[in-house]
Amino acid sequence: MSFGYFSRKVLAALATLAFVVCFNFFLFRVVESDPVASLFRGRNLTPAQRLELRQEFGLDGSKGEQFVRYLQQTAQLNLGRSYRSNQPVSSEIRERAWPTIALVGVSTLFSAIFGILIGIVAAWRRRTKADYGWTGFSMATYSMPDFWLGMLLLISFAVALGWFPVGGITDTGSDATGVAKLFDQAHHMFLPALTLTLAYLGEYALVMRSSLLDTMREDYLTLARAKGLRDVVVRNRHAVPNALLPVVTLIAINFGFVLSGAIAVETIFSWPGLGLLTYDALKGPDLPMLQGLFLVFSAAVIFFNLVADLLYGFLDPRVRTP
Amino acid sequence: MTAPLLSVRDLHVTYRSEAGPVPAVRGVSFDLHPGETLGLAGESGCGKSTIAGALLKVLPPGTEVTGEVLLDGEDVLQMKPGRLRAVRWTEMSIVFQGALHALNPVQRVGNQIEEAIETHRTTPAATARVAELLELVGLPARRAGDYPHQLSGGQRQRVLIALALACNPRVLIADEPTTALDVMVQAQVLELLERLQRELALSMIFITHDLSTLSYVCRRTAVMYAGRIVEEGPAEEVFAHPRHPYASALAAAFPLIGDHSHRMNPSGLPGDPPDPRAIPSGCPFHLRCAVVQPECPELDVELWPAGDGRRAACIHVLAGAAP
């Protein structure tokens, strides 16, 4: 990969991130609120106490001073303190990131694998029952809102049948360790992961199907068949890799979005990740926490966009040569 | 005369489409003898490229192909899948049009040639063979490491020729190999094909819409219209003195350089090629013909002898008078 392509993409990503950092500051100051007043509602504070609290939350000084302080602290990964828990935002986010990364990682993996396989089957057997069936299934799951699908699965498999726990990440009061703990967590993750997998699988299947159908019209496939290759070889060596290009990009970009998009699903299943953290912060509103989460979510989208660009450049030689 | 290497008998090809069947080739027969080059000319949509696909049976699934394609007496259309794959590229190969996406854009051209060699295991030293093939078509061997987009149109066409020769086929089908190349490059590619045909003693079917090219490369030519051959004979004769009014229109469409009458009167053919789903009755050319006769719309034309090893499907030939 040429250095030019790589450095251009990285610089663009860094510039976007810098813009988001600045924009975030002003976005959260548009909401004109006095956190000190709302947090200590009903209590009598002396002006001195009030000033002390304002200093503690970093709300003293002009907007300009605050902005400079914000930039310095953000650069040191200090995202302020949560109004709700009074804990540093960055450590709370760090703690809650792993459940989300695990959930989103597992669902992205499964939705990508099954979505791509379904797309391949539907395209290769186009206008057959397999195609109509799988395409219909993909359309249906694609158009279902994930919170609705999640509630449906929760009601049927957790509440009515009782096969899965209704929420959380481990059984309450469980002190299992090692493999037993992992198994318990997997048991809890099943329904939210299934919801997210189904919610994203349809899109991947439909994109893979149409991409493969486009590729199948290409002359190089006729040439590959004319060379005497088996149909399976033509498909696996020439059609599928080329058709995968747009799908791989889509999955990488989506991964960044799903990190933040799991809010509804995590809330339904009380999955203690970033989504649930966002939901709880919104109720406050816990502005420092929301500001921190916004930054993390934007950074995730920017980062995985960059990954998608670099991946595309790696997979497609036409992109990396200018 | 020796027995033909390839003999096509009453070939019909009907595509399936949502608007109903599309008969693209409607009864074509021709012979190709060892070492001979046969030209196949006609407008876009006359069925000439469909024939190329039918010979190797690489048309889209669901396409109906009837008739016989006898290669050394064995019918390609009746071959079992395994036998067919073995015949493809080792007996007959196609030089695809380089301007189209005939090369996989994300694979190095050398690998795409190697794949053909390894599929048929014609030689154990595939990499050396790739270098040899590239040099044969006038490209440096290091070009094997290039991706298609790094090559010019003319170079891509040379790669496609090298690819077609990879397994030493006996029959080479060149499907518009010079279309969309600029004139100088066209001349180079034609020269290359003509040299290779001579040196390797290939039998070649050369498909084009440019009759003047054919007179350079081929000894015999067939002109197609609406899925049928309407005239055949020695290439130079067909080009210089066409017997079918369509062949004369096609020949006139490519002016002779330096000929003033052509320059002052650029001739075109009125109307569009017929829609394969609605071929006109009788002689399919009668709607566009300059010398149409009252009986043409009902006349069942076939290839009638027109002297000197020539045949033409026109009432004027039947009447014994030149059109």
Side-chain angles (χ1 to χ4, degrees), chain B residues 85-133:
Chain B
R85 282 199 304 272
V87 164
R88 284 174 178 166
W89 231 247
T90 57
E91 298 287 330
M92 279 197 279
S93 67
I94 306 180
V95 177
F96 283 75
Q97 201 195 109
L100 302 171
H101 292 282
L103 289 166
N104 189 333
V106 303
Q107 290 183 10
R108 295 177 197 278
V109 294
N111 294 352
Q112 300 187 46
I113 300 176
E114 239 177 85
E115 188 179 39
I117 299 168
E118 274 161 10
T119 302
H120 299 287
R121 298 181 200 287
T122 37
T123 154
T127 316
R129 173 73 176 142
V130 170
E132 181 189 314
L133 284 164

Side-chain angles (χ1 to χ4, degrees), chain A residues 68-107:
Chain A
V68 171
R69 208 158 51 214
Y70 161 80
L71 287 183
Q72 285 169 346
Q73 292 180 349
T74 307
Q76 293 159 11
L77 294 180
N78 173 359
L79 301 176
R81 279 176 178 279
S82 159
Y83 291 164
R84 210 161 61 96
S85 64
N86 209 17
Q87 297 295 311
V89 166
S90 52
S91 64
E92 276 208 56
I93 288 180
R94 208 171 298 139
E95 194 181 304
R96 296 289 203 94
W98 290 111
T100 293
I101 291 173
L103 175 64
V104 170
V106 166
S107 352

Side-chain angles (χ1 to χ4, degrees), chain A residues 84 96 267 275-286 290:
Chain A
R84 210 161 61 96
R96 296 289 203 94
T267 306
L276 191 59
L277 191 62
T278 311
Y279 177 76
D280 290 336
L282 278 168
K283 288 192 292 196
D286 188 347
L290 284 176

Side-chain angles (χ1 to χ4, degrees), chain B residues 87-256:
Chain B
V87 164
R88 284 174 178 166
W89 231 247
T90 57
E91 298 287 330
M92 279 197 279
S93 67
I94 306 180
V95 177
F96 283 75
Q97 201 195 109
L100 302 171
H101 292 282
L103 289 166
N104 189 333
V106 303
Q107 290 183 10
R108 295 177 197 278
V109 294
N111 294 352
Q112 300 187 46
I113 300 176
E114 239 177 85
E115 188 179 39
I117 299 168
E118 274 161 10
T119 302
H120 299 287
R121 298 181 200 287
T122 37
T123 154
T127 316
R129 173 73 176 142
V130 170
E132 181 189 314
L133 284 164
L134 287 177
E135 269 154 21
L136 187 65
V137 298
L139 285 174
R142 63 183 157 80
R143 285 297 193 174
D146 281 0
Y147 290 99
H149 72 277
Q150 293 169 304
L151 302 171
S152 70
Q155 288 170 330
R156 270 205 294 275
Q157 194 62 62
R158 284 169 191 272
V159 167
L160 284 164
I161 294 171
L163 180 52
L165 295 173
C167 302
N168 300 310
R170 290 193 291 167
V171 179
L172 197 68
I173 305 157
D175 188 4
E176 307 217 32
T178 59
T179 307
L181 297 177
D182 57 57
V183 182
M184 290 304 290
V185 183
Q186 268 190 25
Q188 291 168 3
V189 169
L190 278 180
E191 219 167 286
L192 172 69
L193 277 171
E194 197 253 350
R195 175 172 66 81
L196 291 171
Q197 192 269 331
R198 233 178 328 106
E199 286 175 7
L200 306 174
L202 290 166
S203 310
M204 188 154 82
I205 297 174
F206 194 96
I207 298 170
T208 182
H209 58 259
D210 182 348
L211 262 189
S212 59
T213 319
L214 288 184
S215 64
Y216 175 74
V217 189
C218 310
R219 208 165 51 81
R220 275 197 317 130
T221 277
V223 176
M224 286 188 67
Y225 188 77
R228 280 190 186 160
I229 292 175
V230 293
E231 171 156 10
E232 65 174 350
E236 273 163 34
E237 287 292 303
V238 172
F239 183 52
H241 310 287
R243 303 295 307 271
H244 193 283
Y246 174 67
S248 34
L250 202 60
F254 295 94
L256 295 166

Side-chain angles (χ1 to χ4, degrees), chain A residues 220 225 227 237-238 242 321, chain B residues 58 104 112 115 120 149:
Chain A
Y220 58 78
R225 279 208 294 150
K227 277 202 284 198
R237 214 184 283 167
H238 291 276
N242 296 33
T321 29
Chain B
V58 288
N104 189 333
Q112 300 187 46
E115 188 179 39
H120 299 287
H149 72 277

Side-chain angles (χ1 to χ4, degrees), chain B residues 14 17 82 87 103 107 116 145 233 269 279 301:
Chain B
T14 307
S17 85
V87 164
L103 289 166
Q107 290 183 10
L269 182 60
I279 305 270
V301 284

Side-chain angles (χ1 to χ4, degrees), chain A:
Chain A
M1 197 173 310
S2 72
F3 180 71
Y5 178 79
F6 181 84
S7 51
R8 225 170 32 240
K9 292 294 173 191
V10 172
L11 280 179
L14 288 177
T16 317
L17 187 64
F19 174 79
V20 167
V21 167
C22 299
F23 183 76
N24 232 1
F25 176 84
F26 295 103
L27 184 68
F28 282 91
R29 269 130 198 102
V30 169
V31 194
E32 202 52 75
S33 70
D34 186 352
V36 173
S38 50
L39 278 172
F40 299 92
R41 198 173 9 215
R43 285 188 229 170
N44 284 323
L45 295 174
T46 63
Q49 282 175 313
R50 201 173 285 272
L51 187 66
E52 198 183 326
L53 281 168
R54 291 184 71 86
Q55 274 169 350
E56 197 185 318
F57 283 109
L59 295 167
D60 55 331
S62 71
K63 284 273 145 66
E65 283 165 19
Q66 286 183 24
F67 182 59
V68 171
R69 208 158 51 214
Y70 161 80
L71 287 183
Q72 285 169 346
Q73 292 180 349
T74 307
Q76 293 159 11
L77 294 180
N78 173 359
L79 301 176
R81 279 176 178 279
S82 159
Y83 291 164
R84 210 161 61 96
S85 64
N86 209 17
Q87 297 295 311
V89 166
S90 52
S91 64
E92 276 208 56
I93 288 180
R94 208 171 298 139
E95 194 181 304
R96 296 289 203 94
W98 290 111
T100 293
I101 291 173
L103 175 64
V104 170
V106 166
S107 352
T108 300
L109 188 69
F110 282 111
S111 57
I113 292 174
F114 289 110
I116 288 168
L117 287 178
I118 289 172
I120 293 173
V121 169
W124 209 254
R125 309 225 172 288
R126 69 190 181 288
R127 294 199 195 117
T128 62
K129 275 183 192 150
D131 179 19
Y132 296 133
W134 283 118
T135 305
F137 170 77
S138 306
M139 296 270 220
T141 58
Y142 185 34
S143 41
M144 274 179 211
D146 54 359
F147 64 87
W148 181 80
L149 182 64
M151 284 196 266
L152 220 61
L153 292 174
L154 182 73
I155 291 166
S156 30
F157 293 104
V159 178
L161 294 169
W163 291 354
F164 296 98
V166 286
I169 190 165
T170 47
D171 282 338
T172 30
S174 153
D175 50 4
T177 48
V179 179
K181 186 180 174 196
L182 208 66
F183 187 78
D184 188 26
Q185 287 176 344
H187 194 211
H188 280 78
M189 197 202 265
F190 188 87
L191 284 182
L194 180 66
T195 309
L196 282 176
T197 302
L198 286 176
Y200 282 89
L201 168 152
E203 187 185 3
Y204 299 151
L206 293 175
V207 173
M208 183 66 200
R209 178 179 179 273
S210 71
S211 174
L212 189 53
L213 284 178
D214 282 345
T215 310
M216 280 160 63
R217 275 196 287 273
E218 295 284 359
D219 290 292
Y220 58 78
L221 288 199
T222 310
L223 187 140
R225 279 208 294 150
K227 277 202 284 198
L229 303 183
R230 288 170 182 276
D231 274 4
V232 185
V233 178
V234 173
R235 186 182 72 191
N236 295 347
R237 214 184 283 167
H238 291 276
V240 171
N242 296 33
L244 267 179
L245 291 175
V247 186
V248 167
T249 318
L250 179 71
I251 291 168
I253 291 174
N254 262 357
F255 192 81
F257 277 109
V258 188
L259 279 179
S260 49
I263 296 175
V265 173
E266 286 192 4
T267 306
I268 292 165
F269 291 98
S270 324
W271 185 259
L274 296 176
L276 191 59
L277 191 62
T278 311
Y279 177 76
D280 290 336
L282 278 168
K283 288 192 292 196
D286 188 347
L287 292 179
M289 181 59 80
L290 284 176
Q291 185 179 281
L293 285 165
F294 266 53
L295 187 61
V296 169
F297 292 156
S298 321
V301 172
I302 293 167
F303 177 72
F304 284 103
N305 257 301
L306 178 65
V307 169
D309 274 340
L310 298 183
L311 210 57
Y312 208 113
F314 176 71
L315 295 173
D316 190 339
R318 284 167 297 182
V319 176
R320 57 179 181 258
T321 29

